[in-house]
Amino acid sequence: MQQRNLGPFSVSAIGLGCMNLSHAYGAPVSAEQGERVLLAALDAGVTLFDTATLYGFGANETLVGRVLKQHRSRFTLASKCGMQGVDVNGDGKLVRVIDGRPATLRQTCEDSLRRLQTDVIDLYYLHRWDKKVPIEDSVGALADLVRAGKIRSIGLSEVSAATLRKAHAVHPIAAVQTEYSLWTRNPEIAVLDACRELGAAFVAFSPVARGFLCGELRDVSTLDAKDIRRAMPRFAPDAYAANLALLDDYQAIARDVGCTPAQLALAWLLHKAEHIIPIPGTTSVAHLQDDLGAVDVRLDVATMARLDALINERTVVGSRYNAQSASEVDTETFEDRAA
């Protein structure tokens, strides 16, 4: 597996986003299937595993910890804090809460270490910037965790270039994680270049556009009732029908290159810049192996230009998040830039 730099670590050029095994796209897979996927990734040379306190309200960290603890020296472990499940109403039902207060982050780290069955987390992200707390305060708390030996490096998720710079002034930021794919180009506005300037890796989540670029999801009515894509404007029936019109030409490019649609999406990211590390997620060993094949795909300048012209912020219909989710992130948008 090719390697890329992530803060002080050298990791596989494609990592594994573990969220899908426990969270977000309908009912989670069995523990046995989750174990198969994690171990298959490790055996295939993946050395970056990405989880979070939020995923399955701790269930994903528990799975990763149980399955991978005996292999801990073989990979870089990333998790996230600042967004977790809280029993807000005292009824035993956990609700997603964004909380970046230093005391909360310290406690969340202790909980994560226990679930992950490790003494230290290699890369610990602030999952969302809690806008009620200065970013300097949240990052300062994470810097204390570095000094205490609880975590080795600090990351941020879904932040703007301006917020990244404020955070980096408090403590070096090893990585920024944000959605990035052919159909989500927001990082190209500013944060991708800011990461390069500051020496931070850019970790691209949802690199196959939440399944769209795999070409297999043709009917959004088949999505599970609890699938988070149901709340995303791009997956609304009319918008998705318009976006499907892009797929025939996209799949034709994949055929011309001699790769699968998923591999094409990942290869595009790998060719964009050396500091980009995509972390596709999957519940299938076959899909995992397909994704990892992207490291062997070569795209020439003409093919990159064809892809850029076909699927971009002007040709995709619908926003990536609904109004509520958009209010919770700090990323630049093309709409703001136009205004």
Side-chain angles (χ1 to χ4, degrees):
M1 176 70 75
Q2 298 170 21
Q3 302 291 298
R4 294 204 164 180
N5 294 325
L6 191 161
F9 311 106
S10 178
V11 301
S12 52
I14 297 177
L16 180 67
C18 301
M19 179 184 78
N20 302 37
L21 300 174
S22 310
H23 183 85
Y25 296 121
V29 297
S30 68
E32 294 76 16
Q33 179 61 16
E35 181 172 347
R36 277 191 286 271
V37 171
L38 291 170
L39 292 178
L42 192 68
D43 289 344
V46 172
T47 59
L48 174 61
F49 289 80
D50 182 278
T51 181
T53 293
L54 178 71
Y55 303 158
F57 295 146
N60 196 244
E61 285 184 324
T62 299
L63 173 68
V64 170
R66 178 181 63 80
V67 174
L68 297 181
K69 63 180 178 179
Q70 62 185 335
H71 309 289
R72 184 65 185 85
S73 63
R74 294 174 55 188
F75 65 92
T76 297
L77 175 62
S79 193
K80 308 180 195 72
C81 61
M83 184 162 61
Q84 60 272 332
V86 178
D87 184 1
V88 174
N89 301 313
D91 58 2
K93 296 180 179 178
L94 298 180
V95 177
R96 182 176 63 87
V97 171
I98 296 173
D99 184 350
R101 293 174 296 176
T104 301
L105 303 185
R106 287 192 292 269
Q107 183 58 55
T108 302
C109 181
E110 294 296 336
D111 295 340
S112 291
L113 288 168
R114 185 183 66 255
R115 285 189 294 263
L116 290 163
Q117 301 189 48
T118 187
D119 295 329
V120 62
I121 297 168
D122 297 316
L123 173 61
Y124 205 40
Y125 290 96
L126 187 66
H127 204 160
R128 290 290 186 275
W129 171 35
D130 179 353
K131 297 174 184 178
K132 301 184 297 298
V133 179
I135 189 65
E136 294 88 346
D137 291 356
S138 295
V139 172
L142 296 180
D144 289 341
L145 292 173
V146 173
R147 286 187 283 271
K150 304 285 187 178
I151 66 176
R152 290 195 171 106
S153 62
I154 297 172
L156 301 175
S157 178
E158 296 276 42
V159 298
S160 65
T163 300
L164 168 60
R165 293 182 193 284
K166 289 179 183 177
H168 193 77
V170 175
H171 188 279
I173 300 302
V176 172
Q177 181 174 144
T178 293
E179 182 175 357
Y180 187 32
S181 69
L182 276 161
W183 87 337
T184 297
R185 300 297 195 93
N186 306 61
E188 295 174 4
I189 298 172
V191 77
L192 200 58
D193 285 341
C195 284
R196 181 189 289 108
E197 176 190 332
L198 297 175
F202 184 92
V203 177
F205 76 76
S206 297
V208 295
R210 301 186 186 273
F212 171 73
L213 292 172
C214 297
E216 298 173 2
L217 179 62
R218 293 285 176 168
D219 183 359
V220 290
S221 70
T222 63
L223 293 176
D224 186 274
K226 294 185 178 180
D227 192 307
I228 60 172
R229 289 173 290 187
R230 284 189 172 272
M232 295 177 175
R234 289 178 184 175
F235 288 91
D238 289 349
Y240 199 72
N243 291 326
L244 282 176
L246 301 170
L247 274 183
D248 286 346
D249 287 345
Y250 175 75
Q251 291 175 316
I253 297 174
R255 288 192 296 272
D256 289 345
V257 172
C259 67
T260 67
Q263 288 171 348
L264 184 62
L266 294 165
W268 177 83
L269 281 167
L270 293 173
H271 282 70
K272 270 290 179 178
E274 286 292 324
H275 68 301
I276 296 173
I277 304 169
I279 53 166
T282 184
T283 59
S284 161
V285 172
H287 285 170
L288 167 70
Q289 293 169 340
D290 181 51
D291 289 343
L292 298 181
V295 296
D296 296 320
V297 174
R298 298 291 174 262
L299 304 180
D300 59 25
V301 173
T303 301
M304 291 290 287
R306 287 175 67 192
L307 289 167
D308 282 329
L310 177 63
I311 303 178
N312 56 61
E313 73 278 5
R314 296 177 300 279
T315 63
V316 172
V317 176
S319 302
R320 74 182 182 109
Y321 282 147
N322 61 22
Q324 174 60 38
S325 295
S327 72
E328 296 174 349
V329 301
D330 178 49
T331 50
E332 292 91 355
T333 69
F334 290 101
E335 293 81 4
D336 290 342
R337 188 172 70 168

PDB file of all heavy atoms in Angstrom, residues 67-95:
ATOM      1  N   VAL A  67     -11.772  -5.598  18.352  1.00  0.00           N
ATOM      2  CA  VAL A  67     -11.222  -6.348  17.223  1.00  0.00           C
ATOM      3  C   VAL A  67      -9.743  -6.058  17.002  1.00  0.00           C
ATOM      4  O   VAL A  67      -8.963  -6.963  16.681  1.00  0.00           O
ATOM      5  CB  VAL A  67     -12.027  -6.041  15.942  1.00  0.00           C
ATOM      6  CG1 VAL A  67     -11.380  -6.686  14.723  1.00  0.00           C
ATOM      7  CG2 VAL A  67     -13.468  -6.512  16.097  1.00  0.00           C
ATOM      8  N   LEU A  68      -9.336  -4.814  17.200  1.00  0.00           N
ATOM      9  CA  LEU A  68      -7.993  -4.419  16.787  1.00  0.00           C
ATOM     10  C   LEU A  68      -6.999  -4.245  17.927  1.00  0.00           C
ATOM     11  O   LEU A  68      -5.822  -3.941  17.683  1.00  0.00           O
ATOM     12  CB  LEU A  68      -8.063  -3.125  15.976  1.00  0.00           C
ATOM     13  CG  LEU A  68      -8.838  -3.200  14.650  1.00  0.00           C
ATOM     14  CD1 LEU A  68      -8.794  -1.848  13.944  1.00  0.00           C
ATOM     15  CD2 LEU A  68      -8.291  -4.294  13.741  1.00  0.00           C
ATOM     16  N   LYS A  69      -7.410  -4.435  19.167  1.00  0.00           N
ATOM     17  CA  LYS A  69      -6.504  -4.160  20.286  1.00  0.00           C
ATOM     18  C   LYS A  69      -5.214  -4.977  20.208  1.00  0.00           C
ATOM     19  O   LYS A  69      -4.127  -4.481  20.544  1.00  0.00           O
ATOM     20  CB  LYS A  69      -7.204  -4.407  21.619  1.00  0.00           C
ATOM     21  CG  LYS A  69      -7.653  -5.833  21.852  1.00  0.00           C
ATOM     22  CD  LYS A  69      -8.330  -5.972  23.217  1.00  0.00           C
ATOM     23  CE  LYS A  69      -8.834  -7.397  23.433  1.00  0.00           C
ATOM     24  NZ  LYS A  69      -9.475  -7.549  24.753  1.00  0.00           N
ATOM     25  N   GLN A  70      -5.306  -6.230  19.757  1.00  0.00           N
ATOM     26  CA  GLN A  70      -4.096  -7.053  19.719  1.00  0.00           C
ATOM     27  C   GLN A  70      -3.176  -6.690  18.556  1.00  0.00           C
ATOM     28  O   GLN A  70      -2.047  -7.195  18.465  1.00  0.00           O
ATOM     29  CB  GLN A  70      -4.475  -8.530  19.648  1.00  0.00           C
ATOM     30  CG  GLN A  70      -5.256  -8.935  18.417  1.00  0.00           C
ATOM     31  CD  GLN A  70      -5.697 -10.392  18.473  1.00  0.00           C
ATOM     32  OE1 GLN A  70      -5.078 -11.204  19.144  1.00  0.00           O
ATOM     33  NE2 GLN A  70      -6.764 -10.725  17.767  1.00  0.00           N
ATOM     34  N   HIS A  71      -3.655  -5.824  17.668  1.00  0.00           N
ATOM     35  CA  HIS A  71      -2.855  -5.383  16.518  1.00  0.00           C
ATOM     36  C   HIS A  71      -2.485  -3.900  16.645  1.00  0.00           C
ATOM     37  O   HIS A  71      -2.115  -3.272  15.652  1.00  0.00           O
ATOM     38  CB  HIS A  71      -3.639  -5.590  15.219  1.00  0.00           C
ATOM     39  CG  HIS A  71      -4.196  -6.971  15.059  1.00  0.00           C
ATOM     40  ND1 HIS A  71      -3.405  -8.064  14.805  1.00  0.00           N
ATOM     41  CD2 HIS A  71      -5.477  -7.434  15.129  1.00  0.00           C
ATOM     42  CE1 HIS A  71      -4.168  -9.152  14.706  1.00  0.00           C
ATOM     43  NE2 HIS A  71      -5.418  -8.788  14.903  1.00  0.00           N
ATOM     44  N   ARG A  72      -2.581  -3.350  17.842  1.00  0.00           N
ATOM     45  CA  ARG A  72      -2.508  -1.901  18.037  1.00  0.00           C
ATOM     46  C   ARG A  72      -1.248  -1.281  17.441  1.00  0.00           C
ATOM     47  O   ARG A  72      -1.281  -0.134  16.957  1.00  0.00           O
ATOM     48  CB  ARG A  72      -2.602  -1.604  19.539  1.00  0.00           C
ATOM     49  CG  ARG A  72      -2.640  -0.122  19.884  1.00  0.00           C
ATOM     50  CD  ARG A  72      -3.902   0.551  19.365  1.00  0.00           C
ATOM     51  NE  ARG A  72      -3.859   1.983  19.616  1.00  0.00           N
ATOM     52  CZ  ARG A  72      -3.282   2.859  18.840  1.00  0.00           C
ATOM     53  NH1 ARG A  72      -2.682   2.490  17.715  1.00  0.00           N
ATOM     54  NH2 ARG A  72      -3.295   4.147  19.151  1.00  0.00           N
ATOM     55  N   SER A  73      -0.142  -1.982  17.442  1.00  0.00           N
ATOM     56  CA  SER A  73       1.110  -1.405  16.945  1.00  0.00           C
ATOM     57  C   SER A  73       1.170  -1.318  15.431  1.00  0.00           C
ATOM     58  O   SER A  73       2.087  -0.704  14.875  1.00  0.00           O
ATOM     59  CB  SER A  73       2.299  -2.229  17.442  1.00  0.00           C
ATOM     60  OG  SER A  73       2.236  -3.552  16.921  1.00  0.00           O
ATOM     61  N   ARG A  74       0.178  -1.895  14.757  1.00  0.00           N
ATOM     62  CA  ARG A  74       0.236  -1.978  13.298  1.00  0.00           C
ATOM     63  C   ARG A  74      -0.511  -0.853  12.580  1.00  0.00           C
ATOM     64  O   ARG A  74      -0.482  -0.782  11.350  1.00  0.00           O
ATOM     65  CB  ARG A  74      -0.344  -3.324  12.831  1.00  0.00           C
ATOM     66  CG  ARG A  74       0.488  -4.524  13.260  1.00  0.00           C
ATOM     67  CD  ARG A  74      -0.201  -5.825  12.912  1.00  0.00           C
ATOM     68  NE  ARG A  74      -0.543  -5.936  11.496  1.00  0.00           N
ATOM     69  CZ  ARG A  74      -1.297  -6.926  10.993  1.00  0.00           C
ATOM     70  NH1 ARG A  74      -1.775  -7.871  11.793  1.00  0.00           N
ATOM     71  NH2 ARG A  74      -1.559  -6.956   9.696  1.00  0.00           N
ATOM     72  N   PHE A  75      -1.181   0.031  13.316  1.00  0.00           N
ATOM     73  CA  PHE A  75      -1.993   1.045  12.629  1.00  0.00           C
ATOM     74  C   PHE A  75      -2.070   2.333  13.429  1.00  0.00           C
ATOM     75  O   PHE A  75      -1.758   2.367  14.624  1.00  0.00           O
ATOM     76  CB  PHE A  75      -3.403   0.514  12.344  1.00  0.00           C
ATOM     77  CG  PHE A  75      -4.220   0.243  13.586  1.00  0.00           C
ATOM     78  CD1 PHE A  75      -5.058   1.214  14.115  1.00  0.00           C
ATOM     79  CD2 PHE A  75      -4.150  -0.988  14.234  1.00  0.00           C
ATOM     80  CE1 PHE A  75      -5.805   0.974  15.255  1.00  0.00           C
ATOM     81  CE2 PHE A  75      -4.889  -1.252  15.366  1.00  0.00           C
ATOM     82  CZ  PHE A  75      -5.724  -0.261  15.883  1.00  0.00           C
ATOM     83  N   THR A  76      -2.471   3.398  12.748  1.00  0.00           N
ATOM     84  CA  THR A  76      -2.727   4.699  13.357  1.00  0.00           C
ATOM     85  C   THR A  76      -4.213   4.790  13.681  1.00  0.00           C
ATOM     86  O   THR A  76      -5.057   4.600  12.799  1.00  0.00           O
ATOM     87  CB  THR A  76      -2.299   5.826  12.399  1.00  0.00           C
ATOM     88  OG1 THR A  76      -0.875   5.737  12.188  1.00  0.00           O
ATOM     89  CG2 THR A  76      -2.639   7.194  12.964  1.00  0.00           C
ATOM     90  N   LEU A  77      -4.523   5.067  14.932  1.00  0.00           N
ATOM     91  CA  LEU A  77      -5.897   5.086  15.418  1.00  0.00           C
ATOM     92  C   LEU A  77      -6.389   6.524  15.543  1.00  0.00           C
ATOM     93  O   LEU A  77      -5.781   7.338  16.253  1.00  0.00           O
ATOM     94  CB  LEU A  77      -5.974   4.389  16.780  1.00  0.00           C
ATOM     95  CG  LEU A  77      -7.328   4.420  17.497  1.00  0.00           C
ATOM     96  CD1 LEU A  77      -8.395   3.702  16.692  1.00  0.00           C
ATOM     97  CD2 LEU A  77      -7.199   3.803  18.892  1.00  0.00           C
ATOM     98  N   ALA A  78      -7.480   6.832  14.854  1.00  0.00           N
ATOM     99  CA  ALA A  78      -8.086   8.162  14.934  1.00  0.00           C
ATOM    100  C   ALA A  78      -9.489   8.052  15.511  1.00  0.00           C
ATOM    101  O   ALA A  78     -10.256   7.161  15.142  1.00  0.00           O
ATOM    102  CB  ALA A  78      -8.153   8.802  13.544  1.00  0.00           C
ATOM    103  N   SER A  79      -9.811   8.945  16.430  1.00  0.00           N
ATOM    104  CA  SER A  79     -11.181   9.046  16.920  1.00  0.00           C
ATOM    105  C   SER A  79     -11.535  10.532  17.074  1.00  0.00           C
ATOM    106  O   SER A  79     -10.715  11.405  16.761  1.00  0.00           O
ATOM    107  CB  SER A  79     -11.373   8.285  18.231  1.00  0.00           C
ATOM    108  OG  SER A  79     -12.757   8.144  18.517  1.00  0.00           O
ATOM    109  N   LYS A  80     -12.745  10.785  17.564  1.00  0.00           N
ATOM    110  CA  LYS A  80     -13.235  12.163  17.594  1.00  0.00           C
ATOM    111  C   LYS A  80     -14.026  12.423  18.861  1.00  0.00           C
ATOM    112  O   LYS A  80     -14.659  11.526  19.419  1.00  0.00           O
ATOM    113  CB  LYS A  80     -14.131  12.448  16.377  1.00  0.00           C
ATOM    114  CG  LYS A  80     -13.513  12.091  15.052  1.00  0.00           C
ATOM    115  CD  LYS A  80     -14.452  12.396  13.886  1.00  0.00           C
ATOM    116  CE  LYS A  80     -13.975  11.704  12.633  1.00  0.00           C
ATOM    117  NZ  LYS A  80     -14.191  10.230  12.687  1.00  0.00           N
ATOM    118  N   CYS A  81     -13.999  13.691  19.271  1.00  0.00           N
ATOM    119  CA  CYS A  81     -14.733  14.130  20.455  1.00  0.00           C
ATOM    120  C   CYS A  81     -15.519  15.389  20.114  1.00  0.00           C
ATOM    121  O   CYS A  81     -15.407  15.925  19.010  1.00  0.00           O
ATOM    122  CB  CYS A  81     -13.763  14.420  21.596  1.00  0.00           C
ATOM    123  SG  CYS A  81     -12.576  15.739  21.225  1.00  0.00           S
ATOM    124  N   GLY A  82     -16.308  15.863  21.069  1.00  0.00           N
ATOM    125  CA  GLY A  82     -17.035  17.107  20.874  1.00  0.00           C
ATOM    126  C   GLY A  82     -18.419  16.932  20.298  1.00  0.00           C
ATOM    127  O   GLY A  82     -19.161  17.910  20.148  1.00  0.00           O
ATOM    128  N   MET A  83     -18.795  15.697  19.985  1.00  0.00           N
ATOM    129  CA  MET A  83     -20.159  15.400  19.543  1.00  0.00           C
ATOM    130  C   MET A  83     -20.463  13.965  19.957  1.00  0.00           C
ATOM    131  O   MET A  83     -19.805  13.042  19.485  1.00  0.00           O
ATOM    132  CB  MET A  83     -20.308  15.586  18.030  1.00  0.00           C
ATOM    133  CG  MET A  83     -21.735  15.389  17.530  1.00  0.00           C
ATOM    134  SD  MET A  83     -22.066  16.088  15.888  1.00  0.00           S
ATOM    135  CE  MET A  83     -20.938  15.184  14.843  1.00  0.00           C
ATOM    136  N   GLN A  84     -21.431  13.797  20.831  1.00  0.00           N
ATOM    137  CA  GLN A  84     -21.704  12.478  21.375  1.00  0.00           C
ATOM    138  C   GLN A  84     -23.166  12.348  21.778  1.00  0.00           C
ATOM    139  O   GLN A  84     -23.923  13.313  21.722  1.00  0.00           O
ATOM    140  CB  GLN A  84     -20.808  12.192  22.587  1.00  0.00           C
ATOM    141  CG  GLN A  84     -20.963  13.153  23.749  1.00  0.00           C
ATOM    142  CD  GLN A  84     -20.075  14.363  23.645  1.00  0.00           C
ATOM    143  OE1 GLN A  84     -19.014  14.322  23.046  1.00  0.00           O
ATOM    144  NE2 GLN A  84     -20.525  15.477  24.205  1.00  0.00           N
ATOM    145  N   GLY A  85     -23.544  11.145  22.194  1.00  0.00           N
ATOM    146  CA  GLY A  85     -24.896  10.906  22.657  1.00  0.00           C
ATOM    147  C   GLY A  85     -25.027  11.237  24.131  1.00  0.00           C
ATOM    148  O   GLY A  85     -24.206  10.828  24.942  1.00  0.00           O
ATOM    149  N   VAL A  86     -26.064  12.003  24.471  1.00  0.00           N
ATOM    150  CA  VAL A  86     -26.295  12.429  25.853  1.00  0.00           C
ATOM    151  C   VAL A  86     -27.752  12.160  26.210  1.00  0.00           C
ATOM    152  O   VAL A  86     -28.659  12.404  25.409  1.00  0.00           O
ATOM    153  CB  VAL A  86     -25.977  13.936  26.030  1.00  0.00           C
ATOM    154  CG1 VAL A  86     -26.262  14.380  27.462  1.00  0.00           C
ATOM    155  CG2 VAL A  86     -24.526  14.225  25.658  1.00  0.00           C
ATOM    156  N   ASP A  87     -27.978  11.664  27.418  1.00  0.00           N
ATOM    157  CA  ASP A  87     -29.339  11.436  27.925  1.00  0.00           C
ATOM    158  C   ASP A  87     -29.889  12.770  28.421  1.00  0.00           C
ATOM    159  O   ASP A  87     -29.924  13.045  29.622  1.00  0.00           O
ATOM    160  CB  ASP A  87     -29.314  10.391  29.036  1.00  0.00           C
ATOM    161  CG  ASP A  87     -30.707  10.031  29.545  1.00  0.00           C
ATOM    162  OD1 ASP A  87     -31.691  10.587  29.008  1.00  0.00           O
ATOM    163  OD2 ASP A  87     -30.806   9.215  30.475  1.00  0.00           O
ATOM    164  N   VAL A  88     -30.313  13.599  27.484  1.00  0.00           N
ATOM    165  CA  VAL A  88     -30.712  14.973  27.789  1.00  0.00           C
ATOM    166  C   VAL A  88     -31.968  15.013  28.656  1.00  0.00           C
ATOM    167  O   VAL A  88     -32.088  15.820  29.585  1.00  0.00           O
ATOM    168  CB  VAL A  88     -30.941  15.764  26.481  1.00  0.00           C
ATOM    169  CG1 VAL A  88     -31.504  17.148  26.784  1.00  0.00           C
ATOM    170  CG2 VAL A  88     -29.646  15.879  25.697  1.00  0.00           C
ATOM    171  N   ASN A  89     -32.919  14.126  28.378  1.00  0.00           N
ATOM    172  CA  ASN A  89     -34.228  14.183  29.050  1.00  0.00           C
ATOM    173  C   ASN A  89     -34.366  13.218  30.221  1.00  0.00           C
ATOM    174  O   ASN A  89     -35.433  13.127  30.822  1.00  0.00           O
ATOM    175  CB  ASN A  89     -35.329  13.899  28.018  1.00  0.00           C
ATOM    176  CG  ASN A  89     -35.324  14.889  26.874  1.00  0.00           C
ATOM    177  OD1 ASN A  89     -35.239  16.094  27.093  1.00  0.00           O
ATOM    178  ND2 ASN A  89     -35.398  14.394  25.644  1.00  0.00           N
ATOM    179  N   GLY A  90     -33.283  12.491  30.500  1.00  0.00           N
ATOM    180  CA  GLY A  90     -33.340  11.558  31.608  1.00  0.00           C
ATOM    181  C   GLY A  90     -34.230  10.354  31.381  1.00  0.00           C
ATOM    182  O   GLY A  90     -34.669   9.704  32.338  1.00  0.00           O
ATOM    183  N   ASP A  91     -34.485  10.043  30.122  1.00  0.00           N
ATOM    184  CA  ASP A  91     -35.358   8.913  29.800  1.00  0.00           C
ATOM    185  C   ASP A  91     -34.588   7.720  29.236  1.00  0.00           C
ATOM    186  O   ASP A  91     -35.189   6.757  28.750  1.00  0.00           O
ATOM    187  CB  ASP A  91     -36.446   9.340  28.815  1.00  0.00           C
ATOM    188  CG  ASP A  91     -35.885   9.909  27.510  1.00  0.00           C
ATOM    189  OD1 ASP A  91     -34.634   9.933  27.360  1.00  0.00           O
ATOM    190  OD2 ASP A  91     -36.681  10.326  26.646  1.00  0.00           O
ATOM    191  N   GLY A  92     -33.280   7.795  29.313  1.00  0.00           N
ATOM    192  CA  GLY A  92     -32.467   6.695  28.805  1.00  0.00           C
ATOM    193  C   GLY A  92     -32.204   6.736  27.313  1.00  0.00           C
ATOM    194  O   GLY A  92     -31.464   5.900  26.791  1.00  0.00           O
ATOM    195  N   LYS A  93     -32.800   7.701  26.613  1.00  0.00           N
ATOM    196  CA  LYS A  93     -32.613   7.824  25.171  1.00  0.00           C
ATOM    197  C   LYS A  93     -31.519   8.846  24.883  1.00  0.00           C
ATOM    198  O   LYS A  93     -31.624   9.998  25.305  1.00  0.00           O
ATOM    199  CB  LYS A  93     -33.925   8.240  24.496  1.00  0.00           C
ATOM    200  CG  LYS A  93     -35.037   7.212  24.631  1.00  0.00           C
ATOM    201  CD  LYS A  93     -36.312   7.681  23.940  1.00  0.00           C
ATOM    202  CE  LYS A  93     -37.422   6.639  24.058  1.00  0.00           C
ATOM    203  NZ  LYS A  93     -38.688   7.095  23.424  1.00  0.00           N
ATOM    204  N   LEU A  94     -30.488   8.409  24.173  1.00  0.00           N
ATOM    205  CA  LEU A  94     -29.374   9.294  23.884  1.00  0.00           C
ATOM    206  C   LEU A  94     -29.686  10.200  22.695  1.00  0.00           C
ATOM    207  O   LEU A  94     -30.250   9.763  21.688  1.00  0.00           O
ATOM    208  CB  LEU A  94     -28.116   8.477  23.589  1.00  0.00           C
ATOM    209  CG  LEU A  94     -27.622   7.600  24.747  1.00  0.00           C
ATOM    210  CD1 LEU A  94     -26.360   6.845  24.334  1.00  0.00           C
ATOM    211  CD2 LEU A  94     -27.368   8.415  26.006  1.00  0.00           C
ATOM    212  N   VAL A  95     -29.311  11.451  22.827  1.00  0.00           N
ATOM    213  CA  VAL A  95     -29.524  12.463  21.793  1.00  0.00           C
ATOM    214  C   VAL A  95     -28.161  13.032  21.402  1.00  0.00           C
ATOM    215  O   VAL A  95     -27.298  13.258  22.261  1.00  0.00           O
ATOM    216  CB  VAL A  95     -30.442  13.590  22.316  1.00  0.00           C
ATOM    217  CG1 VAL A  95     -30.607  14.683  21.268  1.00  0.00           C
ATOM    218  CG2 VAL A  95     -31.793  13.030  22.739  1.00  0.00           C
TER     219      VAL A  95
END
